[in-house]
């Protein structure tokens, strides 16, 4: 019987069906680095406040744990994307780990009197606000990380790391200048993301009205 032009072709008996890409395991190297960063948070806090919080030796060890956490932040996402190891767990855990280590460092330094509270408030308010804003517009699209946002993250990490160390003289001045730059980038990138979010939402709503 001749098949019509619209009839589906029969599967070739010797040809294997197209296999779906394998689902990456939750416990992969990228997620393990993220978990390591989460586990380092209480360790870092304990080291930061050890022996009254101002012992140079303990602060140096605290800096080492903070540096390890920042390094894992640089590599876990890149490894996940390059090796196809992106998981739902990683999408949730990675930003939580980032904010946990940075937030604990900022709050801890302010509690110790080494960093003004207004700096901590500005940075944490920005991080929380932008995260909530991303969820607010997620139905219309995803706001990608900008170069300014990546530079902000790098500047914050270096500046906070320098504040963890007990520095004096020109190094103390340098870290204050770098933290000032980090605050400017924090505010500037926040305004940029807000503009992107409002534009994305406006365009998305317009598209929805056009489809009705």
């Amino acid at each position: 019987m001749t098949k019509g032009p619209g009839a589906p072709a029969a599967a070739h008996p010797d040809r294997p069906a197209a296999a779906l890409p394998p689902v990456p395991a939750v416990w992969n190297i990228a997620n393990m680095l993220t978990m390591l960063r989460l586990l380092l948070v209480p360790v870092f806090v304990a080291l930061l406040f050890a022996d009254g919080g101002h012992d140079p030796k303990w602060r140096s060890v605290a800096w080492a744990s903070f540096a390890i956490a920042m390094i894992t932040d640089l590599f876990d996402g890149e490894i996940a994307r390059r090796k196809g190891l992106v998981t739902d767990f990683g999408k949730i855990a990675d930003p939580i780990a980032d904010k946990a280590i940075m937030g604990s460092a900022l709050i801890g330094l302010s509690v110790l009197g080494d960093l003004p509270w207004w700096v901590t408030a500005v940075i944490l308010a920005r991080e929380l606000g932008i995260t909530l804003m991303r969820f607010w517009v997620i139905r219309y699209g995803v706001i990608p990380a900008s170069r300014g946002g990546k530079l902000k993250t790098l500047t914050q990490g270096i500046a906070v790391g320098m504040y963890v160390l007990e520095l004096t003289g020109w190094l103390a001045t340098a870290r204050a200048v770098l933290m000032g730059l980090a605050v400017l980038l924090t505010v500037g990138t926040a305004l940029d993301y807000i503009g992107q979010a409002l534009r994305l939402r406006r365009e998305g709503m317009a598209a929805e009205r056009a489809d009705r």
Side-chain angles (χ1 to χ4, degrees):
M1 179 176 178
T2 305
K3 295 178 183 176
H12 194 284
D14 298 327
R15 184 180 302 165
L20 294 174
V23 178
V26 172
W27 292 111
N28 57 59
I29 182 62
N31 287 345
M32 289 176 69
L33 288 174
T34 299
M35 288 302 300
L36 173 62
R37 192 158 69 257
L38 280 169
L39 293 173
L40 280 173
V41 173
V43 174
F44 165 74
V45 172
L47 293 171
L48 183 65
F49 284 91
D51 200 14
H54 292 284
D55 184 285
K57 293 180 181 179
W58 283 112
R59 291 287 285 262
S60 295
V61 180
W63 175 86
S65 66
F66 180 80
I68 292 172
M70 291 295 99
I71 291 172
T72 63
D73 183 29
L74 292 175
F75 287 106
D76 59 357
E78 188 67 20
I79 291 173
R81 287 186 292 271
R82 288 195 177 188
K83 295 186 176 294
L85 300 177
V86 177
T87 63
D88 290 338
F89 172 81
K91 293 177 183 178
I92 296 172
D94 184 65
I96 291 175
D98 297 343
K99 290 170 178 55
I101 190 67
M102 183 59 70
S104 62
L106 290 166
I107 293 173
L109 290 169
S110 292
V111 169
L112 291 171
D114 294 332
L115 186 67
W117 274 105
W118 70 266
V119 173
T120 295
V122 167
I123 294 176
L124 292 184
R126 186 269 190 200
E127 298 302 327
L128 177 61
I130 296 301
T131 299
L132 293 176
M133 188 187 66
R134 286 179 186 273
F135 283 111
W136 180 54
V137 299
I138 197 169
R139 63 177 292 188
Y140 303 112
V142 176
I143 303 175
S146 66
R147 290 184 179 180
K150 293 177 181 178
L151 179 60
K152 177 270 303 179
T153 301
L154 177 62
T155 307
Q156 279 184 4
I158 296 174
V160 171
M162 292 180 71
Y163 270 88
V164 172
L165 292 169
E166 288 283 313
L167 300 179
T168 58
W170 70 270
L171 285 174
T173 302
R175 73 181 181 184
V177 172
L178 190 60
M179 182 59 77
L181 176 60
V183 171
L184 290 176
L185 288 171
T186 296
V187 175
T189 54
L191 295 176
D192 177 56
Y193 282 138
I194 290 171
Q196 290 187 56
L198 293 175
R199 184 167 57 253
L200 184 63
R201 188 171 188 271
R202 183 170 60 250
E203 293 172 353
M205 294 177 68
E208 286 181 345
R209 287 194 295 268
D211 291 338
R212 290 174 184 171

